[in-house]
Amino acid sequence: MTYYLINIENSDFIKIKDKLILGRKSSCDIVLKEDLVSGRHYRFHVTERFLMLEDLDASNPVQVNNQEMGSKSRIRINVKDKLKIGSTEFYLSDKEPSDEVTYKSMVLEKVKIHETFDSDLDYEQHQSRWHEEVSKKKNEIVKIQKKLNKVTSSKDKMQNLKNQVAELETNIEKLQSRIGETKNYSQEELVEKISLFSEKIKYYTEKRDQLFAIQTLASEKEELKAKKKSLMEKLGELSEEDLDKQHHELSKIYNTEVDALSKLNEKLKKS
């Protein structure tokens, strides 16, 4: 079954679907820009047999047939039930609204007005005054709405400030708890100890740098010693006497070859 939520004042309507959410936030399926409507006000649940209305913890709960819903409650609603959402009144229907429905609503409203007077003459006499009263009332409502918006904005700002104060108080308590876990010092003692430990840090930092420098020099020394050892081993593999002998033999061979080459050159010239 299909259901419709119809505005009693202007006959505007909303087609209801399962899980439909109405509220002031832009993320809602239907957005109602009204201060008396919460960010997420309520949700519909549509089944094959009936329709349920769920309150989403609204600050100003929906009124069903002039009875306010409980916070976070879920109730069954029926066709022709009247729902007041914020300051707007609707009624529930299972028929799609049409011009005929709008016209009938206007006729019924006029009949209700006539019931408060003894004749049409009384109605005509008071009609002008009604229009004036309606105009005045609308102006008053606009002024009240502006004041209400201003107060709401101030309340939001105040709540924001309260939240910030509460957060600061929580942080202060946490810091106080941490301070309480350590030894208590006066402000003068803290300044003195910070200065003392700063000097110690500077002294040990210099010592550390000196040790790093010594460590670097020691590493370089070990590298040089290793190179020296390697060279000494290579020198140990060589014999000076053997070198002299090899040098003498190679020199003798060299000289012999040079003489032979010289003789060949002379023969070439003679020939």
Side-chain angles (χ1 to χ4, degrees), residues 187-199:
Q187 189 65 25
E188 291 78 9
E189 289 175 328
L190 286 173
V191 172
E192 181 181 353
K193 289 187 176 296
I194 290 171
S195 176
L196 174 63
F197 287 119
S198 296
E199 292 177 359

Side-chain angles (χ1 to χ4, degrees), residues 41-253:
H41 205 83
Y42 63 97
R43 179 192 288 119
F44 285 105
H45 297 275
V46 181
T47 68
E48 294 180 358
R49 294 181 299 163
F50 50 81
L51 178 64
M52 302 289 290
L53 182 64
E54 177 187 4
D55 180 84
L56 300 178
D57 198 21
S59 57
N60 182 31
V62 176
Q63 292 183 17
V64 180
N65 298 326
N66 298 321
Q67 296 293 320
E68 186 173 281
M69 288 183 63
S71 178
K72 298 183 180 180
S73 63
R74 183 185 294 192
I75 62 171
R76 178 175 176 176
I77 54 177
N78 303 299
V79 173
K80 297 182 181 180
D81 279 350
K82 185 174 73 173
L83 283 69
K84 185 174 183 181
I85 304 161
S87 62
T88 307
E89 291 185 331
F90 300 84
Y91 70 91
L92 188 64
S93 174
D94 59 352
K95 296 178 181 179
E96 184 173 355
S98 63
D99 293 338
E100 182 182 3
V101 173
T102 303
Y103 173 76
K104 287 182 179 180
S105 298
M106 293 174 65
V107 171
L108 289 172
E109 188 66 22
K110 188 171 182 179
V111 170
K112 290 179 182 178
I113 293 172
H114 273 273
E115 289 175 352
T116 61
F117 299 96
D118 295 332
S119 67
D120 286 341
L121 181 62
D122 292 333
Y123 173 78
E124 296 296 335
Q125 288 176 348
H126 288 83
Q127 188 178 27
S128 176
R129 182 171 61 82
W130 288 352
H131 286 299
E132 292 178 2
E133 291 294 328
V134 168
S135 179
K136 289 181 182 179
K137 185 63 64 179
K138 286 183 177 179
N139 291 333
E140 290 176 3
I141 290 173
V142 170
K143 291 178 181 179
I144 293 172
Q145 186 68 47
K146 289 181 178 178
K147 291 181 180 179
L148 181 61
N149 291 340
K150 188 175 181 180
V151 171
T152 301
S153 177
S154 298
K155 286 179 66 179
D156 291 341
K157 290 179 180 178
M158 182 179 292
Q159 186 60 46
N160 185 38
L161 290 173
K162 286 182 178 179
N163 292 339
Q164 292 181 29
V165 170
E167 185 178 355
L168 288 173
E169 288 177 347
T170 301
N171 291 335
I172 290 171
E173 289 178 359
K174 289 180 179 179
L175 288 174
Q176 187 61 45
S177 177
R178 291 176 61 185
I179 292 171
E181 294 173 358
T182 60
K183 185 177 179 180
N184 292 326
Y185 293 103
S186 65
Q187 189 65 25
E188 291 78 9
E189 289 175 328
L190 286 173
V191 172
E192 181 181 353
K193 289 187 176 296
I194 290 171
S195 176
L196 174 63
F197 287 119
S198 296
E199 292 177 359
K200 288 186 176 182
I201 289 171
K202 181 180 179 182
Y203 170 79
Y204 286 113
T205 299
E206 292 175 353
K207 290 295 183 184
R208 181 201 62 189
D209 293 342
Q210 290 176 4
L211 290 173
F212 281 155
I214 292 171
Q215 187 180 36
T216 301
L217 292 173
S219 297
E220 292 177 357
K221 178 183 175 182
E222 291 299 324
E223 289 178 3
L224 292 174
K225 287 173 69 175
K227 288 180 179 180
K228 178 183 176 182
K229 182 179 179 181
S230 176
L231 291 173
M232 293 300 293
E233 289 176 352
K234 289 180 179 181
L235 286 172
E237 293 174 357
L238 298 175
S239 171
E240 189 172 355
E241 183 178 351
D242 291 339
L243 289 174
D244 290 340
K245 185 177 180 181
Q246 290 178 18
H247 182 270
H248 177 73
E249 291 177 352
L250 289 172
S251 296
K252 185 178 179 181
I253 294 170

